[in-house]
Amino acid sequence: MSGPIPAGSTSRLITLHEAILAALLVAVLAFAAWLEPSFIGLNTQRELSTHAIELALLSIPTCLVIVSGGIDLSVGSIMALAAVVLGMLHESGINMGVGALAAVAVGAAAGSLNGAFVAAVRVHPLIVTLATFAAFRGLAEGVSLGRPISGFPDFFLRIGSGMALGVPLSVLMVLLIAAAGLVAVRRSVAGAWVYAIGDNERAARYCGIPVDKVKIALYTLNGAAAGLAGVLYVARRNTAKADVGSGMELEVITAVVLGGTSIFGGRGTILGTLLGVALIHELRELVSWHWQHDELVRIVIGTILIASILLNNVVGWRRP
Amino acid sequence: MSLASSHPGPGSKRGSGARYLVVLSLLVATIVAVSLINPAFATVQNFRDLLGQCAPVVIVGCGMTLVVLTGEIDISVGSLLGLLGALIGVLSSPQRLGLPPPVVVGLVLMAGAAVGLLNGVLVTAGRVPSIIATLGMLTVLRGVTELIMGGEWITDLPPGIRVLGIGSAAGMPWCLWCAAAVSLMFVVVAHRTRYGLRLYAIGGNPAAAAMAGIHTSGVKTAAFALLGLMTGVAALVTVPQQSVVESGIGVGFELVVVSAVVVGGTSIRGGHGGITGTVLAALLLCGVRPMLVFLKLGETATYWERAIQGGFILAAVLLDHWARRDARGRAVGVIA
C-alpha cells in the first residue's frame, strides 16, 4: 500500500493482535447469541451503541497520545469541564451552537495546557495529567458548585438520540471521526511522526521531527475530543454536572491497551483501539443485560486487560 | 512512556533535599495564615483531627514512596483500601462472619500483603508495566469489593473493631500513633538499611543495579507487598472510625497518595526523593479541605479542594523544572 508506513506496524491491513481481538469479539457475540438471542438483534445493538460513543471518541486520540510515548489521565475531567461550560453558557441564555463550540474550545485549551507542560516544561505526562485530572475536575466542581444543569432544548437533545441512515446520529459522527483518524494516521507524514516519537524520541528529534509541536498538537486534539465527548454526553443525558466522565480515563486506557497499543509508545493502531472499545462495550452491555451485575463486568475487564499483556509477554513477540 | 528509565543528573539520595523544605515552609505558612484569619483553627483538638484525617494518606504514602522510588507505581491502593474495608466489615460483623478482632486484623493484613505481592509478581515476573497491572487490579478489586458487599452497607461493626478507629492512647487516636510509627519505620528503612539502598539503586539505574548483583525482582516485589500491607494497616485504623462500611471507600484515594509522593519530591522516574517529603506533602494536600472550611469562605469554597490540590502538583513540577535548570545551568531534557 502506498503512503508512509508507521514504524511499529506492519504493512498488512490487519495485525495479529487485531485479528485475535476481532475473533474474541465474534466469540463474545456468539456466546451472547446463545445466551440471550435478543441481545444481538440489530435494534438492540443500535440502541446500545450510543453507550459507547464517549469511550470510542476519547480512545482514538488517546491511542495516538500513548503511541507517542505519553499518557493522558485528564480526559474524563476535561469532559466534565466542557459539559459544565456548556451547561452554564446555556443557562445564561447563549445559543447552543455557540455553547457547543465553546465547550470544545475549552477542551482544546485544557488539552493544550497538558501539552505545554509535557513538551515545554518537560514534565512526565503521568504527573501533568494527574495534576490536571484533579485541577480540571476541581474547576468544574467549583464553577458549577456541584449542581446539575438540565433542561436543554429539543433540537440539541436530538443529536443525542436522533437517527440518520438507520444509525444513531452520534454513533455516525464518531464512526466518521474514527475513519478519518484511521486514514490520517496511516497515510500522513504526521502519523508517521507520532510513531517515530514514541519509538525513539531522541532519534526523532535528530531526524528533524518537530517533536514538541506534535506532542502539543496531540494533547490539544485529545482535549478537543474530550470536549466533544462532553457535549455529546449532555445531548444524550440532558444533564450537565461536574461528575460527568468520572472514571472514563481508566476505561479509555484499558480500551487502548487492550487494542494492542504499547504503554511505552511506538506501537498500536486505531483499528485495534476501536476493537478494544467494541469488546469492552459488548462485554459490559451483555453482563448488564443478562446478569444485571455490574461488579462482574469490572472483574472481567480488569482481568482481560492484565491477561492480554501477560499473554503477549509469554508468547514473546513483544518487548515488555 | 517508561517509568524506570535511567536519567542523568546527580544521583544523591536526597536529590530533592530542598523540596521538602519548600513543602514544610508552605505547610507552616498556610497554617499560620489560616490561624491568623480564624484563630479557632489553631487548637490542639483541631490539629489532632487534621492529623487524623491525614493518617491513611501518610501510612499508605510511605509504602507508595518505596514503590515509586524503584520506578514503578501502584494505582490500585484505593480499591484495595475499599476491599479491605469491606473485608473488615464482612469478617467482623455479627450478621456476616463475626470473627474475633485479632483474627480479623490478621486476615486483613495478610490480604493486603497478598494483593501487594500479586501486583509485584505481575510487574516483575509477568513483566506487565506497573501502570497497566495496577490499573487492571484497581478494576478487579473494586468489582470484588462490590461482590462481597452484596449491595448492602455494613452497619454493625463490633466494639472490638471500632476501638481501632475511635480508641486512643495517651490522648492520641490510634491512627496517629500508627502514622507516626510507620513514618519513622520507613525513614529508617529507606535511608538506613541495605534494602533502602537497593531501592534507590534500582530506581536510579535499573541496568546498573542488576549488573551490580541487586535482585531487582525481589526488591520490587517486596516494595509492592509492603505497600499492600500498609494499605491494610491504614484500613484497620480508618475504616472503623465510622460505624458504617460503605462500598465507595477509597475511590480517588490512590491519586491523593501519588500526589503526596510527587509533591513531596520523589521523582516519578525513580531514584530520587524520600519519606519525609511524602509525609509533609500528605499533610499539605489533606489540609486543603479543613483549611478551606476554617477560612469561612462559605459552603462553596470546599468545591475548590480538588482544583487546589491539582494546583499544588503543577506548582511542584514547575519548581522542579526551575530548580533543575539552575543546577545544570541549562534546561534539562534538551539534546546537548
Side-chain angles (χ1 to χ4, degrees), chain B residues 95-246:
Chain B
Q95 274 178 7
R96 306 275 191 129
L97 287 177
L99 298 172
V103 175
V104 173
V105 168
L107 284 174
V108 166
L109 290 177
M110 280 201 314
V115 171
L117 193 67
L118 181 59
N119 279 331
V121 168
L122 282 172
V123 170
T124 53
R127 290 181 298 157
V128 182
S130 55
I131 187 147
I132 303 297
T134 54
L135 174 62
M137 282 303 275
L138 174 159
T139 342
V140 170
L141 291 175
R142 191 55 68 180
V144 172
T145 308
E146 287 169 4
L147 213 60
I148 69 175
M149 293 281 281
E152 301 173 352
W153 292 358
I154 295 169
T155 53
D156 55 349
L157 290 176
I161 287 293
R162 293 224 57 210
V163 75
L164 290 171
I166 52 182
S168 57
M172 285 224 293
W174 282 118
C175 57
L176 282 188
W177 285 115
C178 263
V182 166
S183 312
L184 279 170
M185 207 178 76
F186 273 77
V187 168
V188 167
V189 167
H191 299 303
R192 291 269 179 269
T193 63
R194 280 193 301 198
Y195 177 72
L197 198 62
R198 289 181 196 135
L199 275 170
Y200 279 95
I202 294 172
N205 191 329
M211 278 189 251
I214 294 176
H215 190 228
T216 315
S217 321
V219 171
K220 282 189 181 181
T221 311
F224 276 101
L226 204 56
L227 176 57
L229 187 67
M230 288 305 114
T231 313
V233 171
L236 284 168
V237 294
T238 46
V239 170
Q241 282 176 7
Q242 312 292 329
S243 55
V244 175
V245 179
E246 47 172 43

Side-chain angles (χ1 to χ4, degrees), chain A residues 174-223:
Chain A
V174 172
L175 281 173
L176 280 168
I177 294 177
L182 257 164
V183 169
V185 167
R186 276 221 170 194
R187 287 180 161 262
S188 70
V189 180
W193 283 350
V194 172
Y195 283 88
I197 295 171
D199 202 48
N200 189 332
E201 184 176 319
R202 193 166 275 217
R205 259 185 235 270
Y206 281 134
C207 287
I209 294 175
V211 172
D212 292 342
K213 290 207 190 116
V214 171
K215 281 189 176 183
I216 295 180
L218 283 176
Y219 283 97
T220 309
L221 195 65
N222 209 9

Side-chain angles (χ1 to χ4, degrees), chain A residues 155-266:
Chain A
F155 75 86
F156 178 67
L157 295 175
R158 237 176 284 132
I159 301 177
S161 50
M163 299 281 204
L165 306 174
V167 166
L169 201 55
S170 49
V171 173
L172 205 62
M173 211 186 304
V174 172
L175 281 173
L176 280 168
I177 294 177
L182 257 164
V183 169
V185 167
R186 276 221 170 194
R187 287 180 161 262
S188 70
V189 180
W193 283 350
V194 172
Y195 283 88
I197 295 171
D199 202 48
N200 189 332
E201 184 176 319
R202 193 166 275 217
R205 259 185 235 270
Y206 281 134
C207 287
I209 294 175
V211 172
D212 292 342
K213 290 207 190 116
V214 171
K215 281 189 176 183
I216 295 180
L218 283 176
Y219 283 97
T220 309
L221 195 65
N222 209 9
L228 183 59
V231 170
L232 287 176
Y233 182 94
V234 172
R236 193 158 63 83
R237 298 287 201 94
N238 193 13
T239 178
K241 196 170 178 236
D243 66 359
V244 165
S246 248
M248 277 306 286
E249 44 278 319
L250 298 176
E251 275 192 38
V252 167
I253 295 175
T254 304
V256 169
V257 172
L258 198 60
T261 304
S262 165
I263 200 73
F264 297 111

